Amino acid sequence: GAVVSQHPSWVICKSGTSVKIECRSLDFQATTMFWYRQFPKQSLMLMATSNEGSKATYEQGVEKDKFLINHASLTLSTLTVTSAHPEDSSFYICSAGGTSGRYNEQFFGPGTRLTVL
Amino acid sequence: DQQVKQNSPSLSVQEGRISILNCDYTNSMFDYFLWYKKYPAEGPTFLISISSIKDKNEDGRFTVFLNKSAKHLSLHIVPSQPGDSAVYFCAASSGTYKYIFGTGTRLKVLA
């Protein structure tokens, strides 16, 4: 299957700082990438969908000015959590949609654990 | 509004027996369903999927059944192994890449 990487795998930051998380599709071109957030013992909640070269589409309740998404190329999408606060602490997972032959395939990254102090 | 639900938050099964995980959905526009396995602090791993034109798909120890009239799908794992212990998410899609995930079921396979 296709490989998606995330960097960093974990990050601890102070309240008020910004954190950037990278999501890369390593062996295929991803026209669409997704960002999810998972709180402990809860489901994966879709935050936004990004298409290469265009603005991201945010789900209801997700602040687009707080969670900046850039999908500048077919292999890289970034999520920047601006002015992070402790309530933003969560596990962030990206996935990439590609033309793998499977119907509507999404390939998931390993996730990034964000802790805001 | 939870469009995809997994009503059992946890399930314990003896090694070698069958594990049955259930998932219900409300949106009749969903046409593709998937099951993912997830370990803590890792991304989901794809297990098996099924299109709405089918009612069963099998891959090794994993079989997914779809009952469209009941808007219900289930994942059967036979025989269950200790390594299968994880959280299982079902997901649904309606003609796009966008998935809606269920709330997850934590499976524990007892040796």
Side-chain angles (χ1 to χ4, degrees):
Chain A
V3 180
V4 176
S5 69
Q6 278 184 245
H7 178 80
S9 55
W10 59 270
V11 57
I12 301 173
C13 70
K14 291 183 179 179
S15 186
T17 60
S18 294
V19 174
K20 180 186 280 189
I21 302 170
E22 291 186 350
C23 176
R24 293 182 185 272
S25 57
L26 298 183
D27 52 1
F28 72 104
Q29 294 184 329
T31 53
T32 306
M33 285 185 167
F34 303 86
W35 287 95
Y36 295 83
R37 180 168 56 184
Q38 186 188 25
F39 292 107
K41 298 185 180 180
Q42 293 190 24
S43 185
L44 283 76
M45 301 302 298
L46 180 65
M47 299 174 65
T49 303
S50 72
N51 293 295
E52 185 264 337
S54 63
K55 289 185 179 180
T57 303
Y58 290 81
E59 295 299 302
Q60 193 173 10
V62 178
E63 299 175 60
K64 60 182 178 182
D65 294 330
K66 181 169 187 61
F67 298 100
L68 300 179
I69 291 172
N70 186 295
H71 191 163
S73 76
L74 288 171
T75 59
L76 174 64
S77 176
T78 60
L79 167 68
T80 301
V81 183
T82 62
S83 187
H85 288 100
E87 57 265 30
D88 298 323
S89 299
S90 187
F91 192 60
Y92 292 86
I93 307 171
C94 73
S95 72
T99 53
S100 69
R102 275 208 192 107
Y103 178 81
N104 293 351
E105 183 74 65
Q106 275 191 42
F107 303 96
F108 286 84
T112 297
R113 168 77 58 194
L114 170 63
T115 302
V116 185
L117 303 176
Chain B
D1 177 32
Q2 189 71 35
Q3 297 186 65
V4 180
K5 297 180 184 178
Q6 293 175 255
N7 292 318
S8 298
S10 64
L11 174 69
S12 291
V13 172
Q14 206 67 33
E15 180 181 6
R17 307 293 282 268
I18 184 172
S19 295
I20 299 177
L21 297 100
N22 294 303
C23 179
D24 297 293
Y25 61 96
T26 57
N27 189 341
S28 58
M29 298 300 292
F30 289 142
D31 62 358
Y32 196 67
F33 304 89
L34 310 95
W35 282 95
Y36 282 85
K37 177 180 178 180
K38 186 181 182 300
Y39 295 112
E42 293 185 13
T45 303
F46 172 79
L47 275 177
I48 192 168
S49 62
I50 188 167
S51 163
S52 61
I53 62 173
K54 294 185 175 182
D55 54 20
K56 177 182 175 181
N57 188 27
E58 195 172 347
D59 184 1
R61 296 187 297 117
F62 302 94
T63 303
V64 56
F65 295 92
L66 175 62
N67 182 333
K68 286 194 295 293
S69 61
K71 293 192 177 69
H72 177 85
L73 65 153
S74 61
L75 173 68
H76 292 209
I77 306 174
V78 180
S80 301
Q81 300 173 354
D84 295 328
S85 297
V87 178
Y88 289 78
F89 290 95
C90 65
S93 170
S94 56
T96 70
Y97 281 119
K98 183 174 175 179
Y99 294 173
I100 305 297
F101 279 86
T103 46
T105 297
R106 182 176 301 276
L107 172 67
K108 189 171 184 179
V109 180
L110 307 169

